Amino acid sequence: MTTSGGTLVLAPGFKEPGHVRPPGPYARLFRIPGARAFTAGNLIARLPMGMFGVSAVIMIAGARGSYALAGAVTATGLAATALVAPWTARLVDRHGQARVAVPATVVAVLGELALLLCVRHGAPDWTLFAAYAATATIPNTGGMSRARWAHLLKGDPAALHTANAFEQAADELCFMLGPVLAALLCSALFPEAGTLAGALLLLTGVLVFAAQRATEPPVSAPAPGRSRSPLRTPGMAPMLAVFLATGAVFGAMEVVTIAFADGPLAGPVLALQAAGSCLAGLVYGRARRRAGLRTCLAAMTALMALPLLAATTAGSLLALAGALLVAGMATAPTMVTGMSVIQRLTPAGRLNEGMTLAVTALLAGIAAGSAAGGWAADHADPAYGYLLPVTAAAVALLTAAASHRTRPWLRPSGWLRPSG
């Protein structure tokens, strides 16, 4: 505001010549040459990760009339992935992302197509298990993307923190949209449409991602320090136990919510939890101060009590949806901080393997949490099944607390120096 002839008037603000607003932390990330291209390919490849399980269940249950068979087949695929994924990641570290990820993806896509054909043409049940087990070679695209950021942002902890937060938000977004897309395709087109679309997206995304060779971490000759498995690194075992318990939080929460909602609203209600986590992850990525792992786990344990309170006291699906939205806000910061610890613990040259071990522990926890949540839903009031996520989060917190005094990697790293 200014005066003109004794009259108060509005005037445009003055800016110095050449003044340009500095870019935000996420904008700075994608100014790195090649970052947008490999991120686009990675997101395309990561979206099917939330599609394959739902698509397989719909496809198998619709053709064979058995949800038990569909669940057993998908569980077999999950178990096979837990066994094969670390070996695939080790090959990626030794020979490079493009050389390993592309053929591994081709094998996985052939497994998905084999499953589709076996279901379509009424092949014996055992062929479904064999075909879906072949999909275990799907590479950990999220881990490969994080490895690229770690290579590109070496020496810039603030920018790397932002990149890890973005990757976690991308995980949440893909696992939120993937099941919805799969269900839509299978119901609107034909039962095999979700599996077919997921296979095409996976192959396309990995090819685009692998083509970005300029940002791929270099492969160096093995050294004595690199020959040691990440599993033998001090502190890795407790961290994997934390990821195992955290996975149980997710698995139990999903199954118990489905049982509690008992209808088509279960999907949107669960999507709110993922949405809360996605938003919290993006906000956490802009923070200049990073919380310690114990702090994140304590917050997650406290917020996981909200769905329990909403289900047991209000008993309203609307109240539960709000509680899940808030509870989800604790998961992304926890995962971002946990993955940062894994990156610091993993020996040089074994980053893909270290992060894949964390994902494997997470998947094992999800499987265990799903089984426990299903048992609780069948044998008790589903509302009290929300005790399971709270308990699993508390176990993760206690595991981290038990190692706090002797493990400095669990402590917060304090203020992050701004990048740029």
Side-chain angles (χ1 to χ4, degrees), residues 38-355:
F38 85 72
T39 299
N42 187 267
L43 290 176
I44 295 171
R46 209 183 303 189
L47 182 61
M49 300 302 103
M51 297 175 61
F52 284 136
V54 173
S55 298
V57 169
I58 294 174
M59 181 173 61
I60 296 171
R64 303 297 172 91
S66 172
Y67 280 100
L69 175 63
V73 170
T74 55
T76 298
L78 186 64
T81 300
L83 293 174
V84 174
W87 294 97
T88 304
R90 183 175 298 181
L91 291 174
V92 168
D93 285 327
R94 289 181 179 178
H95 304 290
Q97 294 183 353
R99 292 183 62 186
V100 175
V102 173
T105 300
V106 170
V107 173
V109 167
L110 291 176
E112 293 287 351
L113 296 178
L115 175 67
L116 187 154
L117 293 174
C118 289
V119 173
R120 182 83 173 179
H121 295 287
D125 289 350
W126 66 267
T127 63
L128 309 185
F129 290 91
Y132 208 57
T135 67
T137 60
I138 293 178
N140 179 11
T141 53
M144 291 192 297
S145 186
R146 287 178 172 92
R148 292 199 181 209
W149 288 121
H151 166 63
L152 295 171
L153 302 173
K154 190 177 300 181
D156 192 344
L160 184 57
H161 169 68
T162 301
N164 285 333
F166 170 80
E167 291 297 326
Q168 186 59 40
D171 278 339
E172 300 292 348
L173 182 64
C174 290
F175 278 99
M176 180 173 61
L177 297 180
V180 176
L181 179 60
L184 178 64
L185 290 172
C186 292
S187 59
L189 299 179
F190 48 91
E192 298 86 2
T195 298
L196 184 60
L200 293 175
L201 287 171
L202 175 63
L203 183 58
T204 301
V206 170
L207 289 175
V208 172
F209 179 83
Q212 315 308 314
R213 302 300 292 269
T215 55
E216 182 176 347
V219 178
S220 56
R226 289 181 57 191
S227 61
R228 182 179 61 184
S229 169
L231 283 172
R232 298 174 60 186
T233 303
M236 182 63 79
M239 275 304 301
L240 294 182
V242 169
F243 272 84
L244 182 71
T246 305
V249 173
F250 303 150
M253 184 72 75
E254 179 176 323
V255 173
V256 172
T257 300
I258 291 173
F260 184 87
D262 193 24
L265 291 178
V269 168
L270 281 171
L272 284 175
Q273 181 188 359
S277 182
C278 179
L279 292 174
L282 292 174
V283 173
Y284 188 56
R286 297 178 64 90
R288 291 184 58 197
R289 186 172 177 84
R290 183 166 51 201
L293 185 60
R294 288 196 313 165
T295 302
C296 292
L297 289 170
M300 185 171 71
T301 303
L303 292 182
M304 284 299 154
L306 295 179
L308 174 64
L309 293 174
T312 54
T313 57
S316 164
L317 196 57
L318 182 61
L320 176 64
L324 286 173
L325 176 66
V326 178
M329 293 179 180
T331 58
T334 302
M335 294 298 299
V336 171
T337 305
M339 278 296 184
S340 297
V341 173
I342 292 292
Q343 289 176 357
R344 296 201 300 270
L345 289 175
T346 303
R350 303 293 286 270
L351 191 55
N352 285 290
E353 184 180 353
M355 287 189 291

